[in-house]
Amino acid sequence: MNKEFDALLRNGTWTLIPSPPTANIIGSKWVYRIKRKADGGIERFKARLVAKGFHQQEGVDFLETFSPVVKPTTIRMVLSVAISHGWHLHQIDVQNAFLHGFLNEDVYMAQTPGFLHPKYP
Amino acid sequence: MCKLHKSIYGLRQAPRAWFSLLTDKLQAIGFKGSQVDNSLYVYQHGSILLYFLIYVDDIILAGADLNFINHVISLLQSNFPIKNLGELSFFLSVEAIRSDEGLYLSQHRYILDLLRSKMDKSRPSITPMSTSQILNKSDGALFHDPYLYRSIVGGLQYLSFTRLELAFVIHKVSKYMHDLKELYWVAVKRILRYLKETISHALLIQPDHLLQLQTVIGAD
């Protein structure tokens, strides 16, 4: 949990400010998961800070949403073309993908539960 | 209070913010978005051709030139942390296994997880559906656990990735989510029993040297 919090600070995810009187403030919470190895043993405990997106208001702190999901047909087709030409097929995985995106909207979030800075309530 | 500059998990725009960051980088490298699928990006310059498939944070690269693949990965790595998983082997819970015949796509592990919950002692079946039992009957006993039914049928739907032969039966049992009868649950269990019998079946993608578009027309 401390690690995840430090990562968010290093990432420059937010700056602490005094409360603007009219802002729509969204909450957040920690979600804990146990990552297991293939044999069922515990690999590590994972903590992820998650915003309460249901506090958000369209047009105020979010404008458009879109979730890119590739069609199975496209995957099968690309694999088929690759196999037919004897190409290389490589896979990569982006870590903490959603933490890298930049926000175009003004989004205000209450301070992280368990990590309160007394100067900026 | 925090003013957010970057996205975090749970925000409504988080997936979109990530996707637009990634595709901006791809376009800067020279990739172009495909007309047919938003998640497919293509790089084509001179003799180099590279396909780039995006499923949120899981990515597949397909191309002849290994040096160029590694070049693209290192360019992206200068922007965000990326784990290079090497040759395609397991993505979106589908196993990819190379053989002399081609590439096998298997959801063996996924099926195992699906069966683990319920079907330990059930008898395997060689067919996925009864030929005599009609499913649209409105009478019969109600099924007591709608949550279980929806969760299993939802899980079955993802199997259509590699198990194309199941499309019809899964469609059938998906039609009755709102008014569940014991009869439909029997049909779902039949599909699970069939999966138990055929768990090792995989989709084989074979090389085809005539990559031509063919049209098939059906008439009544």
Side-chain angles (χ1 to χ4, degrees):
Chain A
M1 209 162 133
N2 288 324
K3 247 191 203 164
E4 170 88 356
F5 188 75
D6 286 343
L8 290 166
L9 293 184
R10 252 181 292 123
N11 192 40
T13 300
W14 61 69
T15 41
L16 286 171
I17 57 163
S19 296
T22 57
N24 179 41
I25 300 167
I26 60 177
S28 65
K29 68 171 188 174
W30 289 98
V31 175
Y32 307 102
R33 278 177 59 193
I34 300 173
K35 285 274 195 182
R36 291 191 180 272
K37 293 182 274 194
D39 64 5
I42 291 172
E43 187 184 316
R44 66 193 186 95
F45 297 94
K46 189 172 173 178
R48 169 83 80 194
L49 183 69
V50 177
K52 295 183 177 173
F54 53 85
H55 289 160
Q56 289 185 265
Q57 294 167 8
E58 184 168 4
V60 177
D61 48 17
F62 78 96
L63 302 171
E64 285 182 273
T65 60
F66 168 58
S67 189
V69 171
V70 64
K71 298 175 203 141
T73 319
T74 310
I75 300 181
R76 287 193 298 257
M77 193 211 58
V78 168
L79 294 182
S80 179
V81 171
I83 290 297
S84 296
H85 289 109
W87 287 351
H88 295 278
L89 278 167
H90 265 243
Q91 78 186 109
I92 58 178
D93 161 277
V94 183
Q95 283 151 355
N96 298 325
F98 286 178
L99 299 184
H100 306 301
F102 292 94
L103 296 175
N104 301 316
E105 306 86 353
D106 288 332
V107 186
Y108 301 97
M109 187 175 78
Q111 279 198 64
T112 316
F115 294 87
L116 298 184
H117 193 295
K119 256 179 79 185
Y120 303 95
Chain B
M1 199 184 57
C2 310
K3 180 171 189 328
L4 295 181
H5 305 293
K6 287 189 184 174
S7 164
I8 71 169
Y9 283 77
L11 286 183
R12 301 287 294 269
Q13 61 269 60
R16 189 174 192 272
W18 156 243
F19 190 69
S20 75
L21 176 69
L22 175 62
T23 53
D24 282 355
K25 299 294 176 213
L26 288 175
Q27 277 161 358
I29 295 172
F31 281 88
K32 288 201 165 59
S34 156
Q35 306 266 340
V36 277
D37 194 318
N38 286 320
S39 303
L40 176 63
Y41 276 72
V42 184
Y43 180 98
Q44 186 162 28
H45 283 280
S47 62
I48 296 178
L49 176 62
L50 181 62
Y51 288 118
F52 194 99
L53 278 172
I54 308 161
Y55 195 101
V56 190
D57 50 1
D58 274 323
I59 291 162
I60 298 175
L61 297 94
D65 189 335
L66 189 58
N67 288 331
F68 188 68
I69 290 177
N70 286 326
H71 175 62
V72 168
I73 294 175
S74 63
L75 284 177
L76 293 174
Q77 273 171 335
S78 61
N79 291 286
F80 17 77
I82 284 175
K83 215 193 270 172
N84 187 346
L85 302 169
E87 276 287 303
L88 181 68
S89 63
F90 187 68
F91 68 103
L92 312 178
S93 73
V94 177
E95 288 154 85
I97 304 141
R98 288 255 195 187
S99 84
D100 294 340
E101 295 148 284
L103 181 75
Y104 284 99
L105 297 182
S106 161
Q107 285 176 295
H108 172 268
R109 276 194 244 175
Y110 181 80
I111 296 173
L112 217 55
D113 282 340
L114 207 59
L115 294 179
R116 187 168 292 150
S117 44
K118 280 280 121 194
M119 304 297 290
D120 288 346
K121 293 187 194 82
S122 67
R123 192 161 38 90
S125 162
I126 54 166
T127 52
M129 192 183 195
S130 158
T131 51
S132 54
Q133 186 72 65
I134 298 160
L135 263 193
N136 58 9
K137 275 187 187 165
S138 52
D139 53 340
L142 282 175
F143 182 55
H144 65 282
D145 192 349
Y147 179 84
L148 174 69
Y149 186 96
R150 291 179 196 130
S151 131
I152 297 277
V153 171
L156 286 174
Q157 286 173 353
Y158 187 58
L159 272 178
S160 59
F161 201 117
T162 65
R163 300 297 294 267
L164 308 176
E165 88 276 22
L166 289 175
F168 179 76
V169 278
I170 292 172
H171 165 72
K172 278 280 175 198
V173 295
S174 303
K175 281 168 72 180
Y176 304 105
M177 300 282 205
H178 55 288
D179 179 28
L180 293 172
K181 299 283 156 57
E182 196 68 43
L183 215 60
Y184 312 151
W185 178 241
V186 174
V188 168
K189 281 197 292 193
R190 175 67 172 264
I191 300 175
L192 294 175
R193 285 167 48 211
Y194 170 74
L195 286 171
K196 200 169 180 182
E197 173 73 26
T198 59
I199 189 160
S200 58
H201 288 199
L203 182 69
L204 173 60
I205 297 185
Q206 285 177 296
D208 185 345
H209 300 290
L210 288 170
L211 286 175
Q212 288 173 333
L213 195 61
Q214 294 186 3
T215 312
V216 179
I217 297 170
D220 288 330

